[in-house]
Every structure is written in structure tokens, then in C-alpha cells.
Amino acid sequence: MGGDGGALVRRSGFSPVLESRPDARGPHRWDVDAPLRLRRRNFVLLFQASSGHILTNARPVRFPPTPNPEAVQDYVSELIDEIKVKNPAEPEFHQAVQEVVRSLALVLERDPEYRKAKIIERMVEPERVIMFRVPWVDDAGEVQVNRGYRIGMSSAIGPYKGGLRFHPSVNLGILKFLAFEQVFKNALTTLPMGGGKGGSDFDPKGKSDLEVMRFCQAFMAELSRHIGPYRDVPAGDIGVGGREIGFLFGMYKKLRNEFTGVLTGKGITWGGSLIRPEATGYGAVYFAAEMLQTRNEDLTGKTCLVSGSGNVSQYTVEKLIDLGAKAVTVSDSNGYIFDESGITREKLAFLMELKNVQRGRISEYADKFPSATYTALDSTLDHNPLWDHKAECAFPSATQNEINAKDAANLLRNGVYVVSEGANMPTDIAGIEQFLDAGILFGPAKAANAGGVATSGLEMAQNSMRLSWTREEVDARLQGIMKAIHQACRATAEQYGTPGNYVNGANIAGFKKVANAMMDQGVV
Ligand code: NAP
């Protein structure tokens, strides 16, 4: 006997039958296919414990019959409506929940105990939300005030883990959608990480290095009270790269008087992991390769549309070049370039220097390379022309909702049959429906871009061991994890009667791992 259940049992003078709790320690503990009969029993008994029932009087419990699909659909619709009412003005959060909960109807039809335990109702409510003022002084001596956030969405399977986003569009709803997605993504990685997210409406664009440093220090002055290597381990996201992680880590170390793996994405000489910067982009390409392999194809010779020109985009392009594919587009928030001859290693080196060092605009790529044309963003259009070129693969790697229904139709019309999402929730719900209806290989973000957080998990492991693995070792582990995620999504989709639907596969496999942990841990 052991674990939390054991402690409860001892305190309650509980019956020996229940002390065994085989499902809490057995080899199938992390298996999403584990039979639920025992979990169901545990939940009811733990519920009785928390509600003051005499546990030794526990009797066999009758469970409700499996609800019919219509009843489950009604429940799901009501749940979504309630979430909208309870969380007004958070459209991205509503969208993320809706996309997941629709897949979960399949689980609730088979396993009604999740509904009885109100697992989904608990999952959509963050465990904690911290909002704080971030005052700092700019180069002109003016006081600036931004808003900081950190959301702990779920710690069911490990400490909160998820990035920090610095972008003027950041608000509570966007961070809640990202934190919610992160819970499922982290569960898929096979590593013990809960889900969180944070950030600020601060815009690093156009700021000097000193201004960015002062902002990061002011942000960490408050955040440092709430994070820690066993509590919450933030990382980068939009607007937070190596420079920002350095400033944040330096301030945490000074304030807490300790050198610990409290952030990931650190510099290689001070606790970072090789391959972490590359991991999200590489992982999205590995995921696409895995999907293609199911049709006995690979990426060689494939034309690929890539959006964004930041961390994820750059390393997506690099891995596509490695694997013999041809990336022909990249973008930023002002527009995109189309380079029909393909982005070569030389051009990619220019792009990385332009974006990571000069902090310039993507239009300068077309100034430098005459083979490319630049198209400025036109916000009056109902679609993004970047997605309207002939290609076989698409890697949206900029931001949420960058592919709408019209973009999805354009992609399909142009011959795209592989979409691997590097960004978080880049395709809106109508776009996803088109991809699924068309039966293309569609890798949703929480599976396809999980390589970044997985490698953050590997960085945490190296920090704990006070060791560093080689580039080859980390890359091999990353590839193994992407393969495992692909396999889990595929097998789960099949098991739930929707073969080839990676959306259902990712949502259900991620959900069951977290939900089963919550059932084991009682109502907390
Ligand atoms: P990044 O390095 O800051 O790059 C973001 C890129 O997207 C930039 O080119 C940026 O253009 C563009 N962009 C940002 N907001 C935009 C908007 N509203 N409209 C059009 N373009 C926009 O960020 P990143 O780390 O590559 O992240 C990109 C996406 O991947 C995000 O969805 C992020 O959540 C997701 N993701 C990142 C990681 C990771 O490890 N970094 C892991 C998983 C998922 P500007 O320079 O003009 O702003």
C-alpha cells in the first residue's frame, strides 16, 4: 500500500479490500485503455471519504447505465453554453474547450464515471490564476505599466509547465486557451508535466535590449513568488526567446538566491538543453513524417507552406531542408514572402540573422533575394494569400486562428494533404472540419507541436541529474517521443471508432491520462 490513497485509507481505518488499489500502482497506471471499473469504485469511495461517509460501510455501488449518445450531446452542448456564460469575452478559450469537449463526447458515451466525477467541469476551471502589475521605466525615463499573468491550469500529472507569451494581444482568455491546450499536450508527451501558461501584454518589438531587461526583471519580481522547479516551470513562447529567458532567469536567481531549473529554454552553458530551440519546429516536421509514413510516403520533394518567421518557423524550415522538402513561404505580422525556388540553408541563415539579431521585418528577405516576392498583410481580405499557393504540406507556425474556413478551402484546392500545426490552435473550428471531412493528414497542435515542451521536460530531467545529454541523444529522444505521440493519437482514434482522426486521438488520449490521475487523487 502506498501513495495518497494509502494515506487516506490509514486515516480512515479503511477496509483491506480497498487498500490494495491495484490500478494506482499497477503497470497500466498510465495506460489510457486501463479498465475503469476500479477507478470508478475508487472515485466513489474517495468521494464518500471526503463527504464524511463511514468508509468501512462501503458497499457495492450501482452505476448509471451508459447514457445514450443524444443525452451525451445535450450534456456537452450545455457544458459549452455554461462555459461561455461563466467566462465572458474569452472567445479563444471557448473555442479551445469546444474543440476538445466535442471529441470527449465519444469518451463520455463509454465511460460515464468521468461525467459523474465532473472531470471536465474541473478541467476547464484553472487551479489558479495570478494577475499582477508590471511597472518599469523605459529608456526615455517614462514609467510604463503592463499586466502580467500566470495560470496554473492542472497539476494532476506534474508541476505546471508551459510558456510565457509577451505580445500586445495577450489577455486572460488567450492565456486560458493556451493553458488548457497545454494540459492535454503535456499529457501526450509521455512525461510527468502539468499544464500552465503565462505572459504579458508587453511588446518586445521595437524595444531596446535594456528596456526588455528592465521589463523582464520587473515581471520576475512578482512571478518569482509563484514558480519553482517542483511547482511551476515556465518557458518561452511568442516574444519570449533566449534573450528574455536569460533576463528572467538572472532575476529569479538573484531574488531566490538559488540556481535551479526553474525555467526551460536556458542558454547551453547555464543549464539549457541542446535541441530545445529546435525542438518545436523539428517535432512538427517529425510528426508530419510519421503521418506520411502511414501512406508509405515521406517528405522528400514535397513543397511546403510555412507561416511565421520566429522560433517554430525557422526550425521547421531547417528540418524540412534536412529531409529534402522545399519550404516556399514564411511570414511575420506585416506580410509574407513567397520564394518559389525554395528557402535554402543560405537563405535560412539570412532569415535567422534578420529575425533573431537584427530584429528586422520579413519584407527584407525579398529585398535581399530577388527570387522572392513580398505581399503585405491586407486586413480587408477574408483570407490569407499565403495559404493560396500550390503545395503538398502546410506548417502553420505563427499564431492562433491563422487558417479560417476559406484558407482551409484554398489549401485543399491547391493540393495540400498534410497539415502539421506548429503554432497553437492555428486552424479555426470551421477549418478543422474541412480538413477532417477531406480526410487529409491533419496533425493538431497539441500533438504536432508537443516536441517543444517534451524537450523542455528533457531539460528539466537533465537539470535534476546535473548532467547534459549530447545533441544526438536529445534529438533521438525527441524523435522517439514524437513517434509515441503519433502512435497514441492514431491508436486512440481507432479505438474510439474514428480512424485517422488525429484530433479525436490527441484530445482523448491526453484527456484520459489527466482524468485518470484526477480520479486517483480524489476531489481536490
Ligand atoms: P516567435 O518566435 O515570437 O515567432 C512568432 C512569429 O509569428 C513571428 O514571425 C511573428 O511575427 C508571427 N506572429 C505573431 N503574432 C502574430 C499575429 N497576430 N499575426 C501574424 N503573425 C504573428 O514565437 P514562436 O515561439 O515561434 O511561436 C509561434 C507559435 O508556436 C505560437 O502559436 C506558439 O504558441 C507556438 N508554440 C511555440 C513553442 C515554442 O517552443 N516556442 C512551442 C509550442 C507552440 P512578428 O515578429 O511580426 O510578431
Side-chain angles (χ1 to χ4, degrees), residues 165 167 185 205 237-239 276 280 308-312 331-333 361 397-399 422-424 449:
R165 176 176 289 192
H167 193 272
K185 182 190 311 192
K205 266 204 295 275
D237 190 76
I238 290 178
R276 175 61 189 93
T280 309
S309 51
N311 172 269
V312 178
S331 67
D332 63 19
S333 49
R361 307 310 297 158
S397 310
T399 193
N424 283 310
N449 74 30

Side-chain angles (χ1 to χ4, degrees), residues 165-167 169 177-178 182 185 197 203 205 235-241 276-277 279-281 307-314 331-335 355-356 360-361 377 384 396-400 402 421-426 445 449-453 456:
R165 176 176 289 192
F166 291 169
H167 193 272
S169 64
F177 116 64
L178 289 163
Q182 197 82 45
K185 182 190 311 192
K197 201 83 189 185
D203 187 359
K205 266 204 295 275
D237 190 76
I238 290 178
V240 179
R276 175 61 189 93
T280 309
S307 63
S309 51
N311 172 269
V312 178
S313 172
Q314 293 170 15
S331 67
D332 63 19
S333 49
N334 295 118
K355 283 293 175 184
N356 306 344
R361 307 310 297 158
L377 181 80
N384 181 350
S397 310
T399 193
Q400 63 273 5
E402 52 172 318
E421 294 188 326
N424 283 310
M425 205 169 76
N449 74 30
V453 71
S456 278

